[in-house]
Amino acid sequence: MPARVCSLAGAVTVEGIMSESARRTLLFVHAHPDDETLATGVTLAQRVLDGDDVHVLTMTLGDEGEIIPADLAHHAADQQDTLGSYRRGELAAAMTAIGATSHVLGETDTGTATYRDSGMAGTPSMEHPRALCGAPLAQVGAAIGAVLAELAPDVVVTYDPRGGYDHPDHLRTHQATCVAVAALPPDRRPALWAVVVDQDQARQDRAWLSEHAPSDRDLILLAQDDPYPPGVVPSAMISWKVTGSPQALDRRDAALRAHATQVQLGAGWHALSNHIAARSGDTECYVRLDPDTTELVPAVPGEEINPCLAP
């Protein structure tokens, strides 16, 4: 088998063995604990195994999340309002399982964060004085920019312009990450990518779930003609795919189990509190982002992507 050679700043990797000088720094920017594993967990784990320096920046602690286990319901925002600190522990456990370094934006010694989970559009939590969506975009972008200055990543990954499914915090995270990268001189900007879902794969996943999802778990199975989230894009748009090794998938699944307040995990599938079954696939997809326009940059047919700058 020919060696896979990739150069970065004059360093070379051969057959996936990376020298220290070639070690890339990757930063994944996500809105809430569990987003990082649900959307990019395969990539996180695979890049750690490949020898990269992998970081996750979480914007809020997911204070407004719904809780699956009944014995943890007292943590909810409308009860003890301690879900954020509890989910901080879940995030730490998940990132330990994957091997990535976890950062929470503006985290203090007491375990709080600068910004609070805004909740869903139209809910009272959007008006909370610390809600991420209520903060000025320039302020949030500058806070992410400070992390960029500290880590100097080669690659930054965040959401597409619709935030995957139009969650307000996902949208704000996408916008603020673009602001932070656009503020850098062009020659110092990291490669910027958005995580998306391949339309063809999404169809295959629904077909797989119809045959393999258990019937005794109160799961909701979506039909092929049910609407797909806006983060599902045509295959032709995708510039890069990451397929996980068995070890990477094991790490991703361990991280999903760590997010027990939010995720129930089965054999090849998972579901959130809405009980909609999703396949736990082995491949994640990315489209380049233009930080100036904040829009996706579709793949160009025949174009070769430098693997050193891909997630």
Side-chain angles (χ1 to χ4, degrees):
M1 172 185 269
R4 177 172 62 86
V5 179
C6 163
S7 64
L8 178 65
V12 174
T13 65
V14 179
E15 295 180 350
I17 301 173
M18 186 172 294
S19 68
E20 280 300 314
S21 59
R23 193 182 193 208
R24 296 167 299 178
T25 299
L26 293 89
L27 175 64
F28 293 72
V29 187
H30 283 284
H32 317 105
D34 83 359
D35 290 332
E36 81 296 324
T37 305
L38 290 166
T40 60
V42 173
T43 307
L44 291 170
Q46 190 59 57
R47 288 313 181 216
V48 168
L49 290 168
D50 286 348
D52 284 327
D53 183 21
V54 181
H55 297 257
V56 173
L57 174 63
T58 307
M59 302 293 288
T60 80
L61 293 177
D63 317 78
E64 297 293 331
E66 297 179 343
I67 300 173
I68 294 174
D71 61 339
L72 297 176
H74 58 280
H75 289 293
D78 61 355
Q79 296 190 42
Q80 294 181 4
D81 196 17
T82 52
L83 181 58
S85 59
Y86 192 90
R87 291 184 72 180
R88 181 64 182 94
E90 291 184 332
L91 176 63
M95 293 302 89
T96 296
I98 281 178
T101 301
S102 177
H103 310 262
V104 174
L105 194 67
E107 185 172 32
T108 67
D109 292 339
T110 60
T112 59
T114 299
Y115 303 112
R116 183 181 170 94
D117 179 1
S118 305
M120 299 304 292
T123 60
S125 57
M126 290 281 290
E127 305 303 319
H128 192 282
R130 289 198 299 111
L132 176 62
C133 286
L137 179 58
Q139 179 188 94
V140 182
I144 296 174
V147 178
L148 296 182
E150 177 185 355
L151 298 178
D154 303 292
V155 175
V156 172
V157 176
T158 190
Y159 306 110
D160 69 278
R162 297 287 299 273
Y165 65 107
D166 285 334
H167 189 294
D169 284 342
H170 288 220
L171 297 173
R172 181 59 94 188
T173 298
H174 159 82
Q175 295 160 355
T177 303
C178 288
V179 166
V181 174
L184 296 171
D187 62 346
R188 290 179 49 212
R189 292 178 180 177
L192 182 60
W193 295 83
V195 60
V196 297
V197 176
D198 184 329
Q199 189 176 71
D200 291 343
Q201 187 61 56
R203 293 193 182 100
Q204 294 172 28
D205 288 349
R206 287 191 180 182
W208 183 91
L209 286 164
S210 69
E211 296 180 2
H212 295 89
S215 58
D216 60 348
R217 295 294 294 271
D218 194 28
L219 298 174
I220 298 171
L221 301 182
L222 298 178
Q224 292 291 4
D225 57 355
D226 285 325
Y228 287 87
V232 177
V233 305
S235 301
M237 290 188 66
I238 294 167
S239 296
W240 196 260
K241 293 186 178 183
V242 177
T243 298
S245 65
Q247 187 177 0
L249 299 182
D250 286 345
R251 289 191 180 198
R252 185 275 312 274
D253 289 349
L256 284 176
R257 282 191 289 272
H259 288 296
T261 62
Q262 307 299 302
V263 183
Q264 54 176 317
L265 183 66
W269 61 271
H270 62 271
L272 306 183
S273 60
N274 58 13
H275 299 285
I276 297 175
R279 189 176 182 185
S280 302
D282 66 355
T283 300
E284 293 164 349
C285 300
Y286 300 87
V287 178
R288 284 177 293 173
L289 266 178
D290 183 330
D292 295 308
T293 67
T294 76
E295 295 299 323
L296 297 176
V297 180
V300 177
E303 181 183 27
E304 291 189 8
I305 301 297
N306 181 350
C308 290
L309 298 180

